[in-house]
Amino acid sequence: MTLANSYGTTTVGARAVSRPEVEDFLYAEADILDAWRYDDWLALFEEGARYEIPTTDYRRWSPHESGSFVNDDWDLLRARVKRLKSRKAHAENPPSRTHRLVSNVRVFEESTDALRVTASFVVHRARDGQFDTYVGRYEHLLAVTDDGLRFRLRRSILGHEALPAGARLSFIL
Amino acid sequence: MWDASQPKATAPMIVEDWDRLTFRVNREAYRSEGIFAREREAIWSRHWLYLGHETEIANPNDFVVRTLAGRPLIFCRDSTGEVRAFLNSCPHRGTVLCRETQGSSKLFQCFYHAWTFRNTGDVAAIPDEQAYQAGEDFRAAMRLRAVPQLASHEGFVFVSFNPDVRPLLDHLGEAADYLTMIEEQHVGGMQTLPGVQLYSVRGNWKLAVENAMDGYHFSPTHNTFVGYLRESGYAVTDDDQYAYNLGNGHSLLVLTGHGGRISMIWEPRFGADERVRTQAHRAEMAERLGERRAHYVADESHILYVFPNLLLFDIEGLSIRQLEPVAAEQTDVRAWQLVPRDEEPAARALRMKTVVSFVGPGGLATPDDIEAYEAVQRGIDATAGDARSGLDYSDMSRGMLDEVKGVQGRSIDEGAMRGFWRRWVDAVGIPDGLHSSGERPASFLEGREMR
């Protein structure tokens, strides 16, 4: 971790990335997910990327050595997207209506080609006459490419003690 | 207590017709708070309940807190290494004693008046104790309240709030050997891991039991998971797989054709290295357990239900699932991954990925099961109180002819569910809860010949 070399800007390799660029990436992702545009969502990942949701008792352990809610490698992530696009993904057919708020975005240098980004999220989900709220923190690794930012690791860490009744993770959190 | 004045409750809970071969369950069983209260008393306060696994509290002084049958408990290993379960409530005024979820401590101190207890249950300190005239008697009367009965089988710890409950092994019956088979899977035994799935569903707990004992739903409900397996080179089948009633409400589904299991049944999606490991492990098991035993332990995938609150999903990997009914229409669920104590990192990583690819509220399959329980719970509102005879009942007749013939029921029939419901209606003791017409078989197939 290094401090931004000028205010609100983090340098990765030869590229300076501003916090608004990272925020725009996260806001665009939120819109894509709220509109159920799953192919567009998958295009935000670099090949080989991972998607993780640790359990609510998470204490920084490795997903390879502990239970998780979601522990997707690239194969499973693509299978998840394929499933969500199917009419037979019963838990999301009809799809949940979601509304996402992203805030408290912070950007750190992770390596010569990647940023570590932390942010807070609130996701509201409406389905079946119920209205659920999911609160937590993103801890992503973003690859900095010539085409823009891409998820290398997309990780959603829930702030709940347990998932409340009905609040399953059948959609993308 | 059962309120006989409730008119809906006077309809039988189960209606069996041996002429038409139908079996129906009264939907009040899923929604009535009166029945929920009766279950609390007749099932959850009287039977053995699964509390947790010994490896959750591996070392002396380890503890976790957990609510079971609505009662807050401390599950701990005392300083001498003995496994214990106490009510998590200060004997003084009832304050929650331990407000951490887990940790390690020789002492539990109530913050309210600083009464302090050893993890053996003994009183360690009562501030200004000399003000109590009864002296040692007072101290003895203020020990931590232990759950009346606690017993362990193969690392699985059960408790009962009934001091007169029968011995655990009598309750487990034929299910006991399946727990042994799990412990036998790997040299060195099994352990739970951190990363516990804690979630809750808007459905009655019995819908979760039915779903687990229901092989019929797999292909339609898990259509997308079946498609994922097919694309990876694995064809799902229901051929030659059976559902066994193990007695006492316990049951077993054999679901070998629904997918592989890490270190046991290889599938293309597990990769070449895992194939080599699986072959070596299978040979080791045959050597250690004998070929016949190894066959049952390794070559079959199981879902085991231990009445009333434990499900073991020996599919994909191995998950322990505990059901904690909160209300008639809500159930808390807890799931632990049970893994070999000795496992190389690459195999462990593959296991952790594979298990949760299916199992849990973020998997590619369990969310569709949750959707099913919740959709049933909402859907049955449609017939609540409907005066037309028989409409407010759910059908579980599939495969009843096999019961008449005394033939082992298939996994895609509903025999394991009927076995559960017959045990349930007996356990809750609702007067005239079961209505049977026609010629009922003198007995039902129970257990399984494996020798």
Side-chain angles (χ1 to χ4, degrees):
Chain A
M1 185 194 315
T2 60
L3 288 172
N5 55 4
S6 68
Y7 190 75
T9 301
T10 306
T11 301
V12 168
R15 175 109 127 71
V17 180
S18 68
R19 194 174 66 211
E21 183 180 349
V22 173
E23 288 170 338
D24 281 350
F25 178 79
L26 296 177
Y27 297 161
E29 190 215 14
D31 276 353
I32 284 168
L33 286 172
D34 286 346
W36 314 317
R37 288 159 46 204
Y38 294 114
D39 285 329
D40 291 345
W41 183 64
L42 199 57
L44 300 177
F45 288 75
E46 69 171 9
E47 200 171 319
R50 295 179 50 83
Y51 168 44
E52 298 174 359
I53 306 179
T55 50
T56 49
D57 57 345
Y58 180 53
R59 295 191 188 179
R60 316 308 303 185
W61 43 60
S62 161
H64 306 307
E65 294 162 7
S66 63
S68 299
F69 285 131
V70 174
N71 180 7
D72 283 358
D73 62 8
W74 183 235
D75 284 343
L76 269 175
L77 177 56
R78 287 178 296 170
R80 183 177 298 275
V81 165
K82 180 165 187 178
R83 163 180 152 77
L84 285 169
K85 289 164 62 183
S86 160
R87 283 192 310 111
K88 300 286 188 178
H90 306 294
E92 286 297 319
N93 180 30
S96 301
R97 291 189 195 191
T98 58
H99 187 90
R100 294 155 198 267
L101 303 176
V102 180
S103 179
N104 303 33
V105 177
R106 301 187 72 199
V107 183
F108 307 92
E109 183 187 342
E110 170 71 15
S111 66
T112 54
D113 69 341
L115 296 167
R116 185 167 65 86
V117 171
T118 64
S120 295
F121 66 80
V122 178
V123 179
H124 297 105
R125 166 179 176 260
R127 195 171 187 274
D128 305 326
Q130 302 285 345
F131 197 75
D132 302 316
T133 303
Y134 301 71
V135 177
R137 172 181 169 87
Y138 290 134
E139 289 191 10
H140 301 325
L141 294 182
L142 298 185
V144 179
T145 76
D146 294 341
D147 297 334
L149 303 172
R150 294 286 183 276
F151 287 113
R152 180 164 293 172
L153 167 63
R154 188 188 184 285
R155 185 164 48 191
S156 309
I157 301 171
L158 287 156
H160 307 239
E161 292 181 298
L163 280 179
R168 60 194 180 225
L169 297 165
S170 45
F171 61 101
I172 302 297
L173 183 64
Chain B
M1 280 302 294
W2 180 246
D3 182 4
S5 66
Q6 289 180 9
K8 276 181 288 187
T10 59
M13 286 292 113
I14 295 173
V15 179
E16 291 179 340
D17 183 332
W18 293 99
D19 293 323
R20 291 186 174 83
L21 293 178
T22 57
F23 186 99
R24 307 262 156 80
V25 172
N26 189 327
R27 292 172 175 175
E28 280 297 298
Y30 306 110
R31 64 164 93 89
S32 157
E33 289 298 340
I35 289 173
F36 184 81
R38 178 144 189 124
E39 287 174 340
R40 266 274 198 265
E41 184 189 300
I43 295 176
W44 301 87
S45 298
R46 288 193 199 163
H47 287 253
W48 285 102
L49 306 175
Y50 177 66
L51 173 61
H53 199 268
E54 285 182 5
T55 57
E56 292 180 68
I57 46 170
N59 301 308
N61 305 317
D62 285 355
F63 70 85
V64 298
V65 305
R66 182 160 301 153
T67 297
L68 196 65
R71 298 179 199 273
L73 304 182
I74 300 173
F75 173 39
C76 69
R77 195 178 285 274
D78 72 21
S79 301
T80 71
E82 188 176 335
V83 172
R84 294 178 180 267
F86 298 109
L87 306 186
N88 187 12
S89 175
C90 184
H92 180 210
R93 297 278 191 83
T95 320
V96 168
L97 183 64
C98 179
R99 294 168 300 143
E100 302 288 338
T101 54
Q102 60 182 306
S104 177
S105 180
K106 291 179 181 173
L107 299 170
F108 297 106
Q109 184 179 58
C110 180
F111 76 94
Y112 197 7
H113 302 93
W115 287 29
T116 307
F117 304 86
R118 297 187 208 291
N119 57 16
T120 55
D122 292 337
V123 173
I126 295 175
D128 196 21
E129 191 174 356
Q130 45 294 16
Y132 294 100
Q133 274 67 40
E136 277 306 307
D137 287 349
F138 185 82
R139 191 173 248 254
M142 288 298 166
R143 282 177 52 82
L144 280 186
R145 310 317 187 198
V147 178
Q149 292 286 349
L150 179 146
S152 184
H153 178 65
E154 304 289 7
F156 295 87
V157 179
F158 294 80
V159 293
S160 181
F161 297 107
N162 173 9
D164 303 318
V165 72
R166 61 181 160 170
L168 176 64
L169 282 177
D170 290 358
H171 165 73
L172 291 177
E174 287 215 22
D177 194 38
Y178 287 90
L179 297 177
T180 301
M181 282 196 257
I182 286 169
E183 183 64 12
E184 285 175 347
Q185 288 190 354
H186 294 269
V187 172
M190 308 291 282
Q191 67 170 100
T192 54
L193 286 185
V196 184
Q197 295 177 339
L198 303 176
Y199 58 104
S200 189
V201 297
R202 294 181 178 120
N204 185 272
W205 65 278
K206 299 185 290 300
L207 293 170
V209 176
E210 287 176 1
N211 174 267
M213 288 298 112
D214 172 11
Y216 188 30
H217 81 275
F218 189 81
S219 289
T221 301
H222 302 305
N223 177 288
T224 62
F225 196 80
V226 170
Y228 162 63
L229 294 185
R230 187 174 52 240
E231 285 180 14
S232 73
Y234 183 88
V236 166
T237 175
D238 287 306
D239 292 347
D240 202 27
Q241 291 160 76
Y242 299 92
Y244 300 89
N245 284 310
L246 299 179
N248 295 346
H250 317 314
S251 46
L252 177 80
L253 225 59
V254 176
L255 297 173
T256 309
H258 284 190
R261 276 149 76 217
I262 298 302
S263 74
M264 296 289 183
I265 302 173
W266 184 81
E267 259 190 65
R269 69 182 154 126
F270 299 160
D273 291 352
E274 174 65 9
R275 182 174 215 165
V276 173
R277 287 192 296 260
T278 302
Q279 285 168 347
H281 180 230
R282 184 64 180 77
E284 181 276 322
M285 291 180 76
E287 176 81 10
R288 177 164 50 92
L289 302 171
E291 176 51 35
R292 188 154 181 79
R293 181 76 169 173
H295 168 73
Y296 286 110
V297 174
D299 304 343
E300 290 184 340
S301 298
H302 295 153
I303 300 178
L304 176 68
Y305 171 59
V306 179
F307 186 90
N309 71 331
L310 173 63
L311 285 159
L312 283 152
F313 291 82
D314 195 2
I315 57 173
E316 306 288 323
L318 218 165
S319 295
I320 301 171
R321 189 182 294 176
Q322 181 182 48
L323 304 176
E324 167 69 8
V326 175
E329 302 192 352
Q330 189 191 327
T331 307
D332 285 352
V333 184
R334 304 166 187 143
W336 294 260
Q337 309 312 335
L338 190 67
V339 304
R341 282 174 195 260
D342 303 314
E343 187 169 44
E344 62 180 275
R348 176 67 57 81
L350 177 66
R351 176 185 299 276
M352 301 327 294
K353 165 198 152 176
T354 304
V355 170
V356 302
S357 75
F358 185 104
V359 178
L364 303 186
T366 302
D368 295 331
D369 292 316
I370 297 171
E371 174 79 355
Y373 331 140
E374 295 189 346
V376 169
Q377 193 74 50
R378 292 199 312 279
I380 61 174
D381 283 351
T383 53
D386 196 313
R388 288 172 290 177
S389 170
L391 280 196
D392 197 30
Y393 282 78
S394 288
D395 186 276
M396 288 166 218
S397 307
R398 204 173 147 86
M400 268 177 92
L401 187 59
D402 285 342
E403 283 183 328
V404 174
K405 291 177 176 169
V407 171
Q408 185 57 55
R410 300 179 301 171
S411 61
I412 51 171
D413 289 332
E414 291 167 336
M417 288 154 62
R418 289 190 293 274
F420 165 72
W421 278 106
R422 289 182 185 120
R423 179 72 190 102
W424 177 86
V425 80
D426 188 45
V428 293
I430 295 171
D432 303 317
L434 171 72
H435 181 269
S436 193
S437 59
E439 192 181 340
R440 192 177 205 242
S443 64
F444 298 104
L445 267 191
E446 211 168 76
R448 184 184 189 193
E449 188 52 59
M450 294 197 301
R451 299 300 176 289

